[in-house]
Amino acid sequence: METIQEQQAIDSAAVARGERAGSDGDSVPCVSQLSTLLGAVPLGVGSGELIDQIRGLEDLKWAVTGLQARAAVALDLAQRREQTVAGVPASEQGQGVAAQLALARRESPNRGSRLLGLAKALVTEMPRTLAALESGQLSEWRANLLVRETAGLSAEDRCAVDEELAPDAGTFEGAGDKAIIAAAKAAAYRRDPRSVAQRASHAATERTVTLRPAPDAMTYLTALLPVAQGVAVYAALTRKADSARSGGDSRTRGQVMADTFVERITGRRGGISGVDLEVIMTDRTLLQGDAEPARIKGYGIVPAAWARGLVGAGGAAATGGGPAPKQDEEFAVWLRRLYTAPSTGDLITMDSKARLFPPRLRRFIEVRDDTCRTPYCDAPIRHIDHVVPWRSGGTTTVDNSAGLCEACNQTKENPGWTAKQVVEDVHTLEVGTPTGHSYRSSAPPLPGHVRRPPSPVGT
């Protein structure tokens, strides 16, 4: 027998797909009508009306987010029922739901997992936080903060903290993120100090270093460290910067800290030491000073002049008429030529009769795909796999290959998931989900080639 919460989630899913139950039990259009009405809303007249309109739209936006959370829980329940009927073991039920949610919301699979976890916590354990979200008193981000800070509690304790904080009663009106985090932490600690301490201890096992692009050919290199180590690293860099500045160093304090960080990690001045940076550019950019941007595998687009300077391409033609860039004497440059078909911009294909992708073919595919080929996922490539599985007659070729992150490669093996190459589009992959929806993604265009948008696919 279904619980009240399960039934509410199922009803919410019906509304989310554009239906609501009428008095006679028939389904009546709902979301499509709302979209039409929003499109017909005129802008307010005068500053006061515009502010009121912005406030009202914000309330509506978070109400929709609350409904999405209910629909996500209903989707999880529906998928588990279908998988039970299909004979899927209980331990494997629910797999792939987060990935489907991510595709529907045009988010990455990692983000989809977080959204599903947030939805489950709000619908099943934190009803007052969900009510605050649906009434426009709390944004999705701030609801997520409350869920995050109570993650280590039991369902009963989390529900009790939710009742204590009472976000739907205006508790956090005018409060900032730090105040909300502090209130949630304090309430959680009062309920179960042991679990909070255990969570802090476990957090140290999640230490890691990540890299993501920043504007203007820069990157954000981020380290997640225990507080003692993090403070120690920052203090050491600060002392070095203060010492250098007091000795007359003309660099700014931040520049000294950044340069010291790179030198101490790599052991070399400038920081480049035996690293294979795969820069993809056209011959015109390399040799004729063309302005067509280049691409660095694992980073993205970089300016043409910057790329030429990296590989030390000298001469007026190579620099667009300017002086030749100075080559780092400690940086040995190797050029690897990759040829493209003039008409389509495709990389020249490679082939193999082996089941496993040989190293050179793997590297070729990594260069072509750049990041995970699942739609909306831009995680680093960890697996090279067949689009049509080997067991189903798929060949080990460039055309039947896709670079995927580990999570997406595992997700596509779940029942009901399909994948195929779209012949009419360049390196385009179509992913099918258990609900019958389809999504497409294409490998990024190579420098010097403009790719037309992928053919539309019905969902």
Side-chain angles (χ1 to χ4, degrees), residues 373-393:
R373 285 291 298 281
T374 299
Y376 313 116
C377 183
D378 55 5
I381 292 173
R382 294 288 181 259
H383 294 173
I384 305 297
D385 203 4
H386 301 80
V387 177
V388 177
W390 173 271
R391 61 180 179 273
S392 301

Side-chain angles (χ1 to χ4, degrees), residues 3 13 25 29 43 71 107 117 125 138 219 226 235 263 274 303 305 344 356 361 423 437:
T3 66
L43 290 178
E107 298 278 8
E125 299 174 354
L138 209 62
T219 60
E263 290 169 15
T344 64
L356 299 179
L361 183 53
V423 178
H437 293 74

